[in-house]
Amino acid sequence: MKKKTTIYDIAQELGVTVSTVSRALSGFPAISKATRQAVIAAAARLNYSPNKLASALKSGKTFIVGVIVPSVEAHFFATIIHNIEEGLKDSGYRIILFQSKESLANEIRGVKTLLEAQVDGILASMSLETNDVAHFQEIVAQNKPLIIFDRVNQEINVPTITLNDFRAGYMATEHLIKQGYRNIAFVTTTHQVKIFNDRLNGYKEALKKHNLKVNEHHIILGGLSINDGRFGAGQLLQTLPKPDAIIAGDDFTALGVIKELQEAGEVPPKIGVIGFANETFSAYITPSLSTIDQHPSQMGAACAEMFLKMVSQQNPYENIGNVVIEPTLIPRASTTKLQESESLID
Amino acid sequence: MKKKTTIYDIAQELGVTVSTVSRALSGFPAISKATRQAVIAAAARLNYSPNKLASALKSGKTFIVGVIVPSVEAHFFATIIHNIEEGLKDSGYRIILFQSKESLANEIRGVKTLLEAQVDGILASMSLETNDVAHFQEIVAQNKPLIIFDRVNQEINVPTITLNDFRAGYMATEHLIKQGYRNIAFVTTTHQVKIFNDRLNGYKEALKKHNLKVNEHHIILGGLSINDGRFGAGQLLQTLPKPDAIIAGDDFTALGVIKELQEAGEVPPKIGVIGFANETFSAYITPSLSTIDQHPSQMGAACAEMFLKMVSQQNPYENIGNVVIEPTLIPRASTTKLQESESLID
């Protein structure tokens, strides 16, 4: 069967962007008459479907999608972005990025900036500060697709793509218990983003399941960074009973925890350390860092697929279900507890 | 002296974006009459300079700046972006990002996408594939500021902000020589981006200065990544004379070099390894990685400062000089050569 001509083929044929084709078809004023004529001629020449032509004539799409993330520095978000791009490129969409830098004010500016840049839709992961979702409503009001991924909020009523974070917290904790650790602490964040609560609940549930007590002094609430990890580990080393394992809210925080423990002579895996996100460096530090893989490639691919479905519908929000991705444990040296026999030799 | 009212103050006063104020003043059709009147009233109330008002009425600026980088995953580029944002935010500018993913075709799409998104100017670092600069001319033709940073090209005739890359290559090589290494190899890239040639020339010059021969078999040309580093080190281990030190084109490549050497039992610093860029992980791997700090914060700040100067001028390109930043050596364990006495004990 012959592949149907898309707006993308017309763009290729003429060596212009999909946005130019779309704007030419929809009579956007900044497009010259000559370009418009060339586009319509190419559409005819390539047997572009008259129905599609009619709809493109109305749409005026830019084929630009906006993506808002807390920070592009995290490998986790960079991988999601990469996979969104991969998933969208055959349909002619390009993405532009905006970083909230974990600030609600920046996130609000990001939504406005991207809408002003005429994006066709927005995919966003919330900042740690986001306790209000009113700024996202303008996207919905413009009948453009909005998808929230990874960092979501209870109040938002649009399609989401998330990790099973309860399971991730449970999995990290149960792994440590199975390795023989018993006093397991958690260095995480105070912020109200749902995923962190879910992980903490998973941690508590796993402790209960294995008849271990939840010790509130073992839960350190701060931010997520190398420095926060150092600070959290420093606090925990002065807490009685001293923890024999620490779960860190992400791999950067885990890096800080390890550094602090090493300087205190409590070199992991003597005290076990596990993070979240499987950052690029995690396999290469010493000891190599156990972590929970949150499958950012899958998450990015799911974002792209959902966006393409939404943008193809009259009402983007019709019949779109949420997607939940299951985490995977990556055990490495930082949680390989020494055997009793080995400790005795020391 | 009282601070002069800026368009940013008007935006703050009304709780709208600078872009909305600018578009309202310039009579952009999408702005409602009510908003336009509120903006003009606020401008009058805050004593906004009538000259500025006149110029804003013409400009129709969006106060959005586009930034194109090869990849946001590299800490180096993420730090530059962060410092561009910091340097521009008080002037009301926000940035949107586009990744070329080291592809010329993507970079061309990036320029088009950002211009279609109505950015006021573009700051770009070239992809490894960029051997032609025609796509950048449209920005200049629109009389908008274009600044090329870090990855530049001989042919481009716009302001640049670069590292002294010759000095960086020289510095890495001389450090290894001073540590006692004599057969120094270089794993770098074939691509024609100027910075890599400059570093290679610095390397050759340092060898000559210290009466060491340049051995073409010790220069491995490929890409820059963990895998390219593994491949390069694998090649070099089979080359005679076997190198006793390896300079890697960036820290990711150095990570691959170290991994390969460790697996071959040639654990650094037995064979010395140095990278470029001082990535987040570089201090934390084992052995900790010596590297050249390229001062991305300084580079980002310089980009912001130059952009603000260009955008304030009738002709953005008038009297704008290039900026060159000096590198700094960060020596760590990966190049601390064992003393002869120590090696004899082994």
Side-chain angles (χ1 to χ4, degrees), chain A residues 281-297:
Chain A
F281 60 80
S282 305
Y284 295 95
I285 59 173
T286 305
S288 61
L289 178 65
S290 298
T291 190
I292 301 291
D293 191 342
Q294 304 169 305
H295 299 296
S297 333

Side-chain angles (χ1 to χ4, degrees), chain B residues 40 95-96 203 206 289-290:
Chain B
I40 289 171
I95 70 172
I96 54 180
Y203 157 79
L289 178 63
S290 299

Side-chain angles (χ1 to χ4, degrees), chain A residues 191-269:
Chain A
H191 292 286
Q192 290 310 304
V193 179
K194 182 174 171 296
I195 61 171
F196 299 108
N197 268 326
D198 286 357
R199 288 184 197 166
L200 199 57
N201 288 334
Y203 156 80
K204 290 176 179 174
E205 188 62 28
L207 292 180
K208 280 180 203 152
K209 161 103 187 294
H210 291 273
N211 301 313
L212 295 169
K213 261 203 296 212
V214 175
N215 178 345
E216 291 296 336
H217 297 294
H218 280 174
I219 300 171
I220 306 288
L221 300 174
L224 296 177
S225 70
I226 294 177
N227 277 337
D228 285 300
R230 290 187 80 112
F231 177 80
Q235 295 267 92
L236 288 167
L237 285 172
Q238 291 166 28
T239 304
L240 291 176
K242 199 167 71 181
D244 61 0
I246 299 174
I247 305 174
D250 69 7
D251 282 1
F252 284 98
T253 308
L255 197 55
V257 167
I258 289 178
K259 203 77 187 163
E260 190 72 17
L261 293 179
Q262 283 172 335
E263 287 178 13
E266 303 275 11
V267 182

Side-chain angles (χ1 to χ4, degrees), chain A residues 152-188:
Chain A
V152 302
N153 180 301
Q154 316 273 22
E155 292 163 40
I156 196 98
N157 191 22
V158 300
T160 61
I161 299 176
T162 51
L163 185 76
N164 184 341
D165 285 287
F166 177 89
R167 180 83 198 120
Y170 190 97
M171 189 177 262
T173 312
E174 190 163 63
H175 166 67
L176 290 167
I177 296 169
K178 286 188 174 163
Q179 288 292 309
Y181 298 104
R182 287 295 172 268
N183 282 298
I184 300 167
F186 202 155
V187 178
T188 182

Side-chain angles (χ1 to χ4, degrees), chain A residues 8 15-17 19-20 23 28 62 64 72-75 78-79 81-82 85 94-99 101 109-110 112-114 116-118 226 230 252 255-256 259 280-281 283-286, chain B residues 8 15-17 19-20 23 28 62 64 72-75 78-79 81-82 85 94-99 101 109-110 112-114 116-118 226 230 252 255-256 259 280-281 283-286:
Chain A
Y8 190 60
V16 298
T17 65
S19 169
T20 297
R23 290 181 169 191
F28 195 77
T62 57
I64 306 174
V72 296
E73 264 177 88
H75 182 59
T79 307
I81 292 164
H82 177 74
E85 280 189 321
R94 294 148 295 161
I95 70 172
I96 54 179
L97 307 173
F98 191 94
Q99 302 186 90
K101 293 280 170 179
R109 265 193 290 276
K112 289 187 183 175
T113 301
L114 294 171
E116 284 166 1
Q118 315 289 328
I226 294 177
R230 290 187 80 112
F252 284 98
L255 197 55
K259 203 77 187 163
T280 323
F281 60 80
Y284 295 95
I285 59 173
T286 305
Chain B
Y8 190 61
V16 299
T17 66
S19 169
T20 298
R23 289 181 169 189
F28 195 76
T62 58
I64 305 175
V72 295
E73 264 178 89
H75 182 60
T79 307
I81 291 164
H82 177 74
E85 281 190 321
R94 293 147 298 163
I95 70 172
I96 54 180
L97 306 173
F98 192 94
Q99 303 187 90
K101 293 278 169 183
R109 264 194 290 276
K112 288 186 182 174
T113 301
L114 292 173
E116 284 166 2
Q118 315 289 328
I226 294 177
R230 290 187 79 111
F252 284 98
L255 197 56
K259 204 77 187 164
T280 322
F281 61 79
Y284 295 95
I285 59 173
T286 305

Side-chain angles (χ1 to χ4, degrees), chain B residues 169-191:
Chain B
Y170 190 96
M171 191 178 262
T173 312
E174 190 163 63
H175 166 66
L176 291 167
I177 296 169
K178 285 188 177 164
Q179 288 291 308
Y181 297 105
R182 288 294 173 268
N183 284 297
I184 300 167
F186 202 156
V187 178
T188 182
T189 172
T190 38
H191 293 286

Side-chain angles (χ1 to χ4, degrees), chain B residues 20-144:
Chain B
T20 298
V21 174
S22 166
R23 289 181 169 189
L25 291 176
S26 67
F28 195 76
I31 303 289
S32 73
K33 205 173 154 191
T35 304
R36 187 170 152 84
Q37 282 170 347
V39 167
I40 289 171
R45 197 161 64 242
L46 297 168
N47 295 315
Y48 185 62
S49 137
N51 281 343
K52 280 196 182 167
L53 188 59
S55 115
L57 282 166
K58 278 188 303 187
S59 81
K61 279 187 190 162
T62 58
F63 284 82
I64 305 175
V65 182
V67 177
I68 303 175
V69 290
S71 168
V72 295
E73 264 178 89
H75 182 60
F76 175 70
F77 288 119
T79 307
I80 292 177
I81 291 164
H82 177 74
N83 285 277
I84 294 174
E85 281 190 321
E86 286 296 306
L88 293 180
K89 74 176 181 193
D90 286 347
S91 311
Y93 286 94
R94 293 147 298 163
I95 70 172
I96 54 180
L97 306 173
F98 192 94
Q99 303 187 90
S100 70
K101 293 278 169 183
E102 304 293 9
S103 143
L104 173 59
N106 280 343
E107 189 176 284
I108 293 171
R109 264 194 290 276
V111 171
K112 288 186 182 174
T113 301
L114 292 173
L115 286 176
E116 284 166 2
Q118 315 289 328
V119 295
D120 288 345
I122 291 180
L123 314 183
S125 194
M126 292 178 177
S127 87
L128 287 178
E129 273 183 19
T130 305
N131 49 12
D132 182 90
V133 297
H135 53 298
F136 287 117
Q137 294 312 318
E138 179 61 18
I139 309 166
V140 180
Q142 293 190 12
N143 202 39
K144 289 178 173 179

